[in-house]
Amino acid sequence: MTCEDRPARSTGRSNARIARETGLHLDTVRAWRDRFAHGGLPALADRKRTGRPAGFTPVQVAEAKALACQLPAKTGTPLSRWSCPELTARGIDG
């Protein structure tokens, strides 16, 4: 939901109607409205993610993507295209 959706909330529209009009899932609308009701706009900020932390830094991800977007021949690798094992074998400095 965005700032444009505030009038929808204040005019008494149902969660189902807001979901239809915005293209969001009903559960998402319900959760966001509940968070907003309990904490206002600050409650809608991104929360800390759960799960395993990222295994690669943003720089390492960029290096891997840059390598994968190059033709292997430009790096001296005798392939016509990269395979996952070949990219893995090249490694990422870390």
Side-chain angles (χ1 to χ4, degrees):
M1 276 197 253
T2 62
C3 294
E4 296 88 41
D5 298 317
R6 267 191 241 141
R9 292 190 299 271
S10 64
T11 59
R13 291 185 186 161
S14 70
N15 289 345
R17 182 173 175 185
I18 294 171
R20 265 193 319 277
E21 292 173 353
T22 60
L24 295 170
H25 192 277
L26 177 60
D27 291 341
T28 302
V29 173
R30 189 177 294 126
W32 286 359
R33 288 183 85 178
D34 186 57
R35 284 171 57 185
F36 180 80
H38 288 94
L41 282 177
L44 297 179
D46 282 342
R47 294 178 173 175
K48 187 175 184 313
R49 304 281 180 193
T50 60
R52 185 172 63 182
F56 298 103
T57 67
V59 171
Q60 290 171 320
V61 171
E63 288 174 354
K65 287 180 180 180
L67 179 61
C69 289
Q70 291 181 35
L71 290 174
K74 288 187 176 184
T75 65
T77 305
L79 299 169
S80 60
R81 63 187 177 99
W82 289 109
S83 66
C84 288
E86 288 292 333
L87 285 169
T88 303
R90 291 291 299 233
I92 301 171
D93 293 334

